[in-house]
Amino acid sequence: MSTPGTDVPVWEQRFRAGRVGLPDWAEDAPERCVVVASVDGALEVHSWDARSGELTRATARPEGTAGATIDPAGHWVWWFDDTAGDEHGVWRRQPFGSAPGEGVQDPLGLPAAYSAGLVLTRGGAVVVGRTDDAYGTRVEVVEDGGTRLLYEHREDAYAADVSEDGRWLALSHSEHGDSRHPDLRVLDVADGTTVAELADGPGKGVAPLGFAPRPGDPRLLVEHEREGRAELLVWDVAAGTETPVVLGVPGDVAGAEWTRDGAGLLVLVDHEARTLLHRVDLATGDVQQVGPGTGTVGGATARPDGDVWLTWSSAAHATAVRTLGGDVLLRAPGAPAPDSVDVTDVWVEGEGGRIHALLRRPVGAAGPLPLVVEVHGGPTAHDTDGFRPYCATWVDEGFAVVQVNYRGSTGYGSAWRDALEARVGHVELADVAAVADHLVATGVADPARLVLAGASWGGYLTLLGLGTQPQRWAVGLAGVPVADYVAAYEDEMEGLKAFDRSLFGGSPTEVPGKYADSSPLTYVDAVTAPVLVLAGENDPRCPIRQIENYLERLAGRAAPHEVYRYDAGHGSLLDDERVRQMRVELDFVRRHLP
């Protein structure tokens, strides 16, 4: 299916449509912003003058550029420079409004590493977090041409925010060995001494979201999970007092920031796969839902004039940057994405409780239909009522598509998120199977035409599912998967090593049986369905060697499989590459599905 007057299929038009993110604006020059938007088929960093509407491209790298921020004065656009998507690089900056290559500097002068936070202060000092295998995590202060070490530890940590007066740094850390449930420390930026600490004990994380935006204000906004879901409190670091933020609405906090006067908050809340925005008055406790009342608010930022900028989408409608009143604030260059279909909520009773899933079907189609079970990555993430060109493509092809928020997903409470620790991979797949079986039983899906698909953790679950549930799946599509868990641990970036130790309760040396039980490689000889594996040559999260180990085992017994390798990391920022991968998947399924 293509739009009249063009030979480009509608699905491809969605992938090639302009994309734009939420602008990040300069605190002391709020009309100056940095925004990531697509240009010439790639995501790149831009300067954006909100007053004039002028959008000026700042970067032009072959692999695209996605990480960017702006200094408080609005003089400099900062962006992260890695190699072909490997996420290992350095921060660079260039003057606001400059073209690609103009005035680019390496202001920090530090060796390449994985990013663990960047905070630009009004006084000119830069606090930068870096991780690498050689040292774990380091947080350094760069100012007046010199660099000093503020913090170092073997375990994972992140430099979150600096107080408005530049005195204190809020640090998320996992010195206790559990990066999935971090602790919080406030450090004195001058000498690295500890000002205050906050920890809720085993299995309960606390995370800093930001200091109040007023000089001398000691309040820090904190996310916690004391009552079994993500909630908020305001911590007065100087006084040591905590004030809970009572929202009185169902769901988990998905993000929050201060209003510019420090008197209120903007809070994103996930509930049943929708993300809505709320405004909180801290003095009165009043909570109001603002902005769109359905779909997914992907991000929001409070402006000095009291307005709010936000990104919003739904399954049917592509992402746009809007004002609180609903006006489109910023459009991406190029043609807009064609609409798709809405989702239907599906609830299924599973062994661990009610499972929530989102179903898309072609308009007017009667079942049973071929079904793509698209498994999300993370695992600490969840699928929402948001725009997905990938899912829309399968609907255009006549498939039903279901996305399962299995145990391990966020947005359904801490117990649901952490339930996968009982038996990593197998717990999630029990939920995926329960939803697929329900759709077969209700006549939505054809049991002979079930496709298991996903990327990252979804790719991992795809391979594990093909090996542990071989009679259920007709075809598998595994993008950038964990395939050999032990080899993946050996080669992956340090932050993911810490995540895996938290997930399994140790390293492969310490708990070898758990890694073997959850590794797709253990079950590869049981795989019967044709499987397509997509792999990034420079992927630091699901490295290529462990995928090659799995493919060798498939090839050794002539199991039907194909591999598509591409020159990037854990995904691609290029429209051409995303379209190529979609074409490969479509072709594979057309050839192998009964």
Side-chain angles (χ1 to χ4, degrees):
M1 181 173 64
S2 61
T3 301
T6 176
D7 293 330
V8 179
V10 170
W11 71 260
E12 185 173 338
Q13 293 176 43
R14 293 193 192 97
F15 276 97
R16 295 192 183 279
R19 292 178 285 163
V20 62
L22 185 68
D24 184 10
W25 51 274
E27 295 176 7
D28 298 331
E31 74 283 356
R32 290 192 165 198
C33 309
V34 62
V35 63
V36 175
S38 59
V39 59
D40 297 333
L43 285 176
E44 293 289 1
V45 178
H46 295 70
S47 301
W48 182 53
D49 188 317
R51 187 170 295 162
S52 68
E54 184 177 4
L55 191 66
T56 305
R57 182 177 179 179
T59 58
R61 302 193 313 140
E63 58 279 318
T65 316
T69 188
I70 191 168
D71 71 301
H75 296 323
W76 298 99
V77 170
W78 289 69
W79 49 274
F80 193 72
D81 185 12
D82 65 353
T83 302
D86 67 0
E87 302 181 47
H88 194 263
V90 300
W91 284 98
R92 303 194 187 279
R93 72 178 187 183
Q94 65 190 81
F96 180 87
S98 60
E102 291 184 0
V104 176
Q105 301 176 359
D106 177 10
L108 305 182
L110 296 171
Y114 300 108
S115 179
L118 179 77
V119 185
L120 309 175
T121 71
R122 279 192 171 85
V126 179
V127 179
V128 57
R130 304 185 298 133
T131 68
D132 218 327
D133 285 352
Y135 49 77
T137 305
R138 286 177 178 167
V139 178
E140 290 151 303
V141 180
V142 181
E143 60 182 336
D144 301 325
T147 302
R148 55 187 172 85
L149 183 65
L150 192 66
Y151 173 87
E152 183 174 17
H153 200 277
R154 283 299 315 173
E155 293 291 346
D156 197 46
Y158 187 83
D161 194 25
V162 170
S163 59
E164 285 294 296
D165 55 16
R167 292 176 55 202
W168 296 338
L169 167 70
L171 180 81
S172 176
H173 74 86
S174 57
E175 292 177 9
H176 55 300
D178 183 1
S179 67
R180 282 167 47 78
H181 306 93
D183 291 345
L184 193 164
R185 181 174 298 155
V186 176
L187 300 177
D188 191 310
V189 174
D191 57 16
T193 57
T194 297
V195 175
E197 296 193 81
L198 195 62
D200 281 350
K204 294 183 178 181
V206 287
L209 300 183
F211 281 101
R214 301 188 302 180
D217 194 326
R219 295 176 300 161
L220 178 65
L221 185 60
V222 176
E223 182 182 305
H224 67 92
E225 49 185 318
R226 294 171 181 175
E227 304 302 322
R229 63 172 184 165
E231 297 180 295
L232 298 172
L233 63 84
V234 175
W235 183 29
D236 187 317
V237 176
T241 57
E242 301 172 15
T243 305
V245 178
V246 180
L247 297 177
V249 298
D252 289 24
V253 168
E257 72 167 46
W258 296 87
T259 56
R260 303 320 299 169
D261 58 5
L265 305 172
L266 287 180
V267 184
L268 294 172
V269 178
D270 288 333
H271 179 58
E272 296 184 354
R274 278 80 182 174
T275 306
L276 303 184
L277 180 64
H278 300 76
R279 199 198 304 261
V280 180
D281 186 314
L282 292 174
T284 66
D286 181 60
V287 179
Q288 285 187 317
Q289 190 268 310
V290 295
T294 187
T296 296
V297 178
T301 183
R303 295 283 290 166
D305 61 3
D307 197 3
V308 176
W309 292 351
L310 57 90
T311 57
W312 177 88
S313 76
S314 70
H317 305 294
T319 301
V321 181
R322 302 172 182 270
T323 64
L324 195 60
D327 295 330
V328 175
L329 176 74
L330 178 62
R331 296 186 186 276
D339 288 345
S340 185
V341 299
D342 289 315
V343 294
T344 300
D345 294 274
V346 176
W347 292 91
V348 178
E349 291 297 332
E351 63 182 29
R354 292 182 78 213
I355 308 159
H356 189 203
L358 300 173
L359 177 66
R360 292 168 165 88
R361 281 185 280 189
V363 176
L369 298 168
L371 175 71
V372 173
V373 182
E374 204 265 333
V375 190
H376 72 72
T380 49
H382 69 285
D383 282 315
T384 65
D385 179 6
F387 197 70
R388 287 288 306 278
Y390 181 86
C391 294
T393 298
W394 291 111
V395 172
D396 288 354
E397 290 288 308
F399 287 73
V401 180
V402 70
Q403 298 168 286
V404 182
N405 284 332
Y406 51 76
R407 281 171 290 169
S409 303
T410 54
Y412 300 86
S414 302
W416 188 264
R417 180 200 62 201
D418 292 344
L420 82 167
E421 294 174 359
R423 195 182 178 198
V424 176
H426 300 273
V427 168
E428 303 97 289
L429 284 168
D431 292 349
V432 169
V435 171
D437 290 349
H438 170 80
L439 295 178
V440 168
T442 54
V444 172
D446 181 346
R449 294 186 292 169
L450 301 183
V451 178
L452 185 59
S456 192
W457 196 263
Y460 157 67
L461 292 177
T462 295
L463 294 185
L464 188 64
L466 295 180
T468 60
Q469 304 168 351
Q471 303 307 313
R472 176 171 277 108
W473 309 109
V475 175
L477 305 171
V480 289
V482 175
D484 172 355
Y485 221 129
V486 173
Y489 180 90
E490 292 169 352
D491 294 352
E492 68 193 5
M493 59 200 300
E494 176 57 35
L496 285 182
K497 285 186 172 72
F499 180 90
D500 284 339
R501 291 192 298 271
S502 299
L503 189 61
F504 287 97
S507 68
T509 302
E510 296 166 324
V511 287
K514 287 188 174 182
Y515 281 83
D517 179 60
S518 295
S519 179
L521 189 67
T522 302
Y523 310 95
V524 64
D525 290 339
V527 174
T528 57
V531 56
L532 170 68
V533 177
L534 301 94
E537 298 280 5
N538 310 308
D539 191 344
R541 298 173 180 268
C542 298
I544 196 71
R545 179 175 70 94
Q546 53 95 25
I547 293 175
E548 292 172 338
N549 293 346
Y550 186 90
L551 294 171
E552 287 175 7
R553 288 281 295 274
L554 286 177
R557 62 184 188 87
H561 74 282
E562 295 176 17
V563 60
Y564 175 85
R565 298 170 71 132
Y566 59 94
D567 187 20
H570 199 62
S572 175
L573 303 178
L574 306 182
D575 291 349
D576 282 348
E577 181 55 48
R578 296 163 70 230
V579 168
R580 279 195 293 269
Q581 292 182 24
M582 191 72 248
R583 284 184 182 140
V584 168
E585 292 195 30
L586 289 169
D587 176 68
F588 188 83
V589 170
R590 287 166 181 157
R591 287 186 286 111
H592 291 282
L593 194 68

